Amino acid sequence: MAWALLAVAIAAVAFIAFREQRRLGTSWRQALALVPLKLLTRLDTRGLQPVRNSDGPVIFAVNEQARLDPAICLAALPDDTLHVLDPASADHFIVGAYRSLGKAVVFDKEKMLANRRLITHLKRGGRLAVYFPDAVEPDRAAFRLYRGVALLARKTGATIVPVTVRNSRFLRSSFTAEDKAPRALWPKLRLHALPAAPMSDIVAMRGREWTTPANALFDRMAELRFTSADLDQTLFEAFVSAARTYGPGRTILEDTVTGALTYKRALIGARVLAKRFAAMSEKGEALGVLLPNANGAAVTFFALQSAGRVAAMLNYTAGARNVVSAIETAKMRTVLSSRAFIEKAELQPLVDAIEDNGTRIVWLEDVRASVTTAEKLSAALQWSRPVRHADPKAPAVILFTSGTEGAPKGVVLSHRNLVVNAAQSEARVSISVTDSLFNVLPLFHSFGLTGGMVLPLLYGVRLFLYPSPLHYKLIPQVAARAQPTIMFGTDTFLAGYARTARDTDFASLRFVVAGAEAVRYETQELYRERFGCAILEGYGMTEASPVVAVNSATHHRLGSVGRALPGIDIRLEPVEGIEGGARMWVKGPNVMIGYLKADRPGEIQPLEDGWYDTGDIVHIDHEGFIEVRGRAKRFAKIGGEMVSLGAVEMLVQSLWPADRHAALSVADRRKGEKIVLATTTKQADRQRIARKTQEEGMTKLMVPSDIVEMEDIPVLGSGKTDYVTLQERVMAMLKRLGRRVTGSSAPRDDAPGGAKDVPKKAKSKGRRSPKASASTR
């Protein structure tokens, strides 16, 4: 019997080895060495097959997450590959045992260019494996390796093949601390690689004029990181995968009312609700979600994904007319809400309008009260299974524009759009399970939904949801108790919190991610000096799920919105009359399925060729940093010259930083258009603004023709200026004052976030030019 079992075991080992040899073309010794790795880690090598035998000279750029990675590569890569190992990896006992399978040298990789052996090896058509540290935000020393390898590839004409071993960061031999990457006893590893490409092509992928070779290689490795994630999952499946990776018992959700929830408890609650939602609706039907930032909203969102339904996030601050219009545009028959929320937020008139429209409102309190013990037990047993399976490319979420062009448009995002954008963001900004995120941005806003909920839940970051961003006095107090390391916000909200916060309230923060509007220099400095944290400004739009670019600790430039995320293509088109900037188009796997419009309710209208016109005028420098010069619709044409209204706002902001300001364009019979400044300061005068423009070397056309003092500047629910409401108020005030007004030429943005502008670079006269940058809108 024992001999028979031994014979079966030997036959099994031989079969696995033979299959790997046929699949990868390895030597028999390498194939045998792969067998124990496959048995211990469930290693899947198929991702390496297309690129393993790339013709030399070739550099395999390996993202080294664990000490075991070199052993896997020694067994899987061609046996003539020269592996450049660090002492930390080379001394590992398994790596030592596998070193005989190939060639290896051990030395400081930062000095690799000085080693003639490597250059000679590549020039002779050889293969090289270089191991990069697993750092989303590498320090300066680590970044030298990117410069070195990029230069080495250019000198020798070598192609580069990025390689990673997915999930090896959860091995016991991981370089990541255990508190940041929970260890797994029997992880499922998978080799993943990107196609071979020379440095010239890698640079071209990011735009030759917008990047350096080192940055291009860094972006290529970031693309490797995000594409190695399982992107073909529904949102519910990705949530379940996160629960299994970081532990079902891990506390992941918290709010101010219901307390904390673990992954498993959240998923059980989602399973219970999903059964009910599936019973009351059709497959793929859109159900409205009218809820505040709270645990219940997150559980409801994932319940809809489990049920195979679409979550249509309703903006309860948009007014009854816009909410009803959104309901009709998406053909919603049912809206999910909470009586407690409606009562506390005083939204009964909105509820009446919804019901008068013939739309049913389902109260979650009633659903919870009717749940039986049997339903709870069933959900506890099947918490990881969706109620209805869905296609990752199918619609998952509908978000609505702010209705500034009449009826709101619905932006339809797929499961894959959001899963991809979360992975893209995680590949650029370093987060881990040791972090906790404090989100005050509403979930009906794309930034609040993807960045403020989906991203942390899919990557093990504890999430604290706060119901309203307008509680300027309470939020710092809550943050002081919650001790978050990351916070999301807009400039308006962040400045408001700082005014009421004690220096210790935000002391726990590592960084703040700011979006939705330009972040002022004063706000940046305030958070740096008082709270010791950086504000990382990003940029995006709902149509891109939403993040397109973001600053990071490694790549950060004040006055910019950062560099484009991996996997996003950019196209610039010149705009007549505007110098130093061009109109930006974006394309990528995070770009929406299409629009829902009021004229064709329920019908998704896709983009023609996958490219989305952002409507922003931008400048991209030689390192890829994006500076947003303004919305194409927020330029005033005065006497034939284009003037950025956002530049005017930032100029005035530099004079009176404690107040709010907004610049508008109004039709003018003599010059075509003129600028009107709405401001809350009582000190504003044209002469002082004129002197400032002269000091900064800016055009006199930026000086407003009229100044209108207001008690406050109206804002949208996302915290951005409500230019439509403001335009109406300003026009009415100008008429009352007897000013000649021929009509409005104000912009009506087509995205849920409004305007975002920065001025062109000014001719400096020894003072800092007032810069602005634009963020997720």
Side-chain angles (χ1 to χ4, degrees):
M1 185 66 177
W3 285 105
L5 290 174
L6 180 61
V8 170
I10 292 173
V13 168
F15 173 77
I16 296 172
F18 177 74
R19 187 178 61 180
E20 290 301 312
Q21 186 183 33
R22 290 290 302 273
R23 174 182 292 164
L24 297 177
T26 63
S27 67
W28 181 245
R29 288 179 65 223
Q30 286 180 299
L32 284 173
L34 278 170
V35 174
L37 295 175
K38 289 183 70 66
L39 295 176
L40 289 172
T41 65
R42 296 184 287 169
L43 177 66
D44 184 347
T45 61
R46 287 174 292 181
L48 187 64
Q49 187 176 357
V51 298
R52 179 188 181 275
N53 296 312
S54 299
D55 293 333
V58 61
I59 300 174
F60 293 104
V62 183
N63 178 38
E64 187 180 15
Q65 303 176 64
R67 292 177 179 84
L68 188 64
D69 288 0
I72 293 172
C73 291
L74 281 161
L77 293 177
D79 57 6
D80 63 350
T81 302
L82 178 61
H83 297 257
V84 183
L85 303 176
D86 270 339
S89 297
D91 292 342
H92 191 266
F93 73 97
I94 295 181
V95 176
Y98 276 68
R99 281 182 62 180
S100 62
L101 297 173
K103 306 172 184 178
V105 292
V106 182
F107 63 86
D108 185 353
K109 288 181 286 190
E110 293 179 24
K111 301 176 181 177
M112 62 187 307
L113 286 179
N115 190 290
R116 293 181 179 177
R117 178 182 176 184
L118 303 184
I119 297 174
T120 302
H121 179 75
L122 287 173
K123 284 188 174 180
R124 289 176 178 173
R127 299 181 174 97
L128 191 68
V130 181
Y131 294 84
F132 288 77
D134 180 39
V136 174
E137 298 174 347
D139 57 25
R140 289 185 178 181
F143 200 75
R144 289 194 205 108
L145 183 58
Y146 289 91
R147 294 192 182 95
V149 171
L151 186 55
L152 186 63
R154 294 171 71 192
K155 276 187 173 182
T156 61
T159 59
I160 294 180
V161 177
V163 178
T164 189
V165 184
R166 185 189 172 202
N167 288 333
S168 66
R169 67 192 302 261
F170 301 110
L171 291 169
R172 293 191 177 278
S173 63
S174 172
F175 288 110
T176 306
E178 188 170 356
D179 61 342
K180 293 185 177 181
R183 300 306 190 241
L185 291 175
W186 195 37
K188 184 176 182 180
L189 304 186
R190 188 183 76 191
L191 278 165
H192 173 71
L194 295 180
M199 271 309 306
S200 58
D201 287 358
I202 292 174
V203 170
M205 291 175 191
R206 303 300 287 177
R208 294 184 187 279
E209 67 275 29
W210 306 332
T211 191
T212 63
N215 280 342
L217 179 57
F218 173 77
D219 290 339
R220 186 68 168 162
M221 295 301 287
E223 184 179 353
L224 171 77
R225 183 184 179 98
F226 108 78
T227 55
S228 69
D230 190 352
L231 304 178
D232 289 318
Q233 297 185 94
T234 65
L235 285 163
F236 182 80
E237 291 167 344
F239 192 35
V240 171
S241 294
R244 287 174 170 157
T245 299
Y246 303 109
R250 174 175 174 76
T251 299
I252 194 66
L253 261 177
E254 189 175 359
D255 64 16
T256 56
V257 178
T258 56
L261 290 177
T262 62
Y263 269 117
K264 189 172 182 178
R265 284 191 61 194
L267 283 162
I268 291 173
R271 172 81 190 189
V272 170
L273 290 178
K275 291 282 286 185
R276 296 298 186 93
F277 297 161
M280 68 176 68
S281 57
E282 302 293 331
K283 181 179 180 181
E285 182 179 337
L287 277 73
V289 178
L290 192 69
L291 294 168
N293 283 21
N295 291 350
V299 172
T300 298
F301 177 84
F302 282 100
L304 288 169
Q305 310 310 322
S306 174
R309 306 301 186 255
V310 179
M313 313 302 289
L314 295 174
N315 179 356
Y316 43 82
T317 69
R321 181 182 63 84
N322 282 336
V323 171
V324 170
S325 175
I327 289 171
E328 292 175 345
T329 297
K331 299 184 73 172
M332 300 177 219
R333 297 184 301 163
T334 304
V335 170
L336 308 171
S337 191
S338 159
R339 285 196 182 92
F341 166 60
I342 296 300
E343 182 179 345
K344 193 167 186 178
E346 300 180 349
L347 293 175
Q348 190 57 45
L350 175 59
V351 170
D352 294 340
I354 292 172
E355 292 181 329
D356 289 345
N357 187 57
T359 307
R360 175 180 56 163
I361 294 182
V362 173
W363 303 107
L364 294 181
E365 291 93 339
D366 295 345
V367 175
R368 282 194 291 267
S370 64
V371 172
T372 65
T373 302
E375 286 179 294
K376 294 178 182 178
L377 290 173
S378 175
L381 293 172
Q382 303 182 78
W383 60 271
S384 63
R385 295 181 58 191
V387 172
R388 298 284 186 274
H389 289 283
D391 182 351
K393 296 180 181 179
V397 181
I398 301 172
L399 297 169
F400 295 92
T401 67
S402 47
T404 55
E405 287 189 319
K409 287 186 294 188
V411 176
V412 184
L413 302 172
S414 69
H415 297 268
R416 196 170 191 272
N417 286 153
L418 272 71
V419 171
V420 163
N421 199 231
Q424 289 171 315
S425 302
E426 192 270 343
R428 181 54 54 81
V429 179
S430 180
I431 59 174
S432 75
V433 295
T434 59
D435 284 311
S436 58
L437 191 151
F438 189 70
N439 182 29
V440 300
L441 297 180
L443 299 183
F444 58 71
H445 188 262
S446 57
F447 188 22
L449 179 69
T450 302
M453 186 182 78
V454 174
L455 173 64
L457 295 185
L458 298 194
Y459 288 91
V461 175
R462 185 165 176 163
L463 174 62
F464 192 104
L465 290 169
Y466 190 82
S468 172
L470 301 176
H471 298 166
Y472 292 108
K473 293 182 179 180
L474 292 176
I475 284 172
Q477 298 173 24
V478 177
R481 294 195 299 270
Q483 293 288 292
T485 59
I486 305 169
M487 186 167 74
F488 280 12
T490 69
D491 180 80
T492 300
F493 296 147
L494 294 175
Y497 306 148
R499 282 195 293 269
T500 63
R502 298 170 300 177
D503 290 350
T504 56
D505 286 346
F506 294 128
S508 60
L509 290 174
R510 286 203 301 124
F511 60 85
V512 175
V513 181
E517 63 177 341
V519 178
R520 295 172 296 164
Y521 175 76
E522 293 79 13
T523 309
Q524 295 266 11
E525 287 297 296
L526 185 62
Y527 272 74
R528 183 180 294 108
E529 293 174 3
R530 285 191 60 195
F531 310 124
C533 72
I535 295 180
L536 303 181
E537 190 167 4
Y539 163 83
M541 63 287 303
T542 305
E543 290 83 349
S545 303
V547 189
V548 169
V550 69
N551 281 288
S552 69
T554 301
H555 290 82
H556 185 276
R557 183 160 297 169
L558 195 63
S560 83
V561 294
R563 301 170 67 248
L565 296 183
I568 293 178
D569 296 324
I570 290 177
R571 186 177 85 207
L572 297 184
E573 293 186 355
V575 178
E576 184 180 357
I578 298 177
E579 297 179 1
R583 192 168 185 138
M584 184 168 70
W585 296 63
V586 297
K587 186 178 184 180
N590 54 313
V591 174
M592 66 176 180
I593 297 175
Y595 282 120
L596 290 174
K597 297 182 180 180
D599 59 342
R600 287 147 65 181
E603 180 183 339
I604 299 176
Q605 301 177 41
L607 299 173
E608 289 185 6
D609 54 2
W611 284 96
Y612 173 70
D613 177 10
T614 68
D616 289 314
I617 308 300
V618 309
H619 168 73
I620 304 179
D621 70 13
H622 70 285
E623 290 190 288
F625 287 94
I626 301 171
E627 294 180 12
V628 183
R629 299 290 170 84
R631 289 289 288 161
K633 294 182 178 182
R634 293 214 73 230
F635 278 79
K637 194 170 186 179
I638 303 174
E641 186 171 337
M642 304 297 285
V643 178
S644 168
L645 297 175
V648 175
E649 291 172 351
M650 296 308 293
L651 179 74
V652 176
Q653 194 73 55
S654 68
L655 290 171
W656 300 284
D659 296 286
R660 295 273 295 171
H661 318 278
L664 304 170
S665 64
V666 175
D668 182 75
R669 291 178 180 175
R670 188 165 60 91
K671 293 185 177 181
E673 290 181 320
K674 66 178 181 179
I675 297 174
V676 177
L677 176 70
T679 177
T680 60
T681 184
K682 300 185 183 302
Q683 304 171 29
D685 66 86
R686 296 183 71 251
Q687 287 74 22
R688 190 171 176 186
I689 297 173
R691 287 196 299 270
K692 184 67 174 177
T693 59
Q694 186 176 9
E695 290 170 4
E696 298 293 347
M698 296 180 173
T699 174
K700 293 180 180 179
L701 296 176
M702 294 178 65
V703 180
S705 297
D706 287 300
I707 296 177
V708 177
E709 293 182 12
M710 307 184 72
E711 290 296 323
D712 60 4
I713 302 293
V715 296
L716 298 166
S718 58
K720 293 173 291 185
T721 301
D722 183 350
Y723 286 97
V724 175
T725 301
L726 179 63
Q727 187 85 25
E728 294 171 353
R729 292 183 186 177
V730 167
M731 296 293 286
M733 292 177 73
L734 289 175
K735 288 179 181 179
R736 284 200 301 270
L737 292 171
R739 309 284 173 83
R740 181 176 293 179
V741 179
T742 59
S744 169
S745 60
R748 292 187 174 271
D749 291 343
D750 57 356
K756 36 185 193 50
D757 299 86
V758 296
K760 301 175 185 178
K761 291 184 178 178
K763 296 177 182 178
S764 177
K765 292 192 177 182
R767 301 191 182 188
R768 186 181 182 278
S769 173
K771 280 190 177 182
S773 49
S775 311
T776 308
R777 59 180 168 81

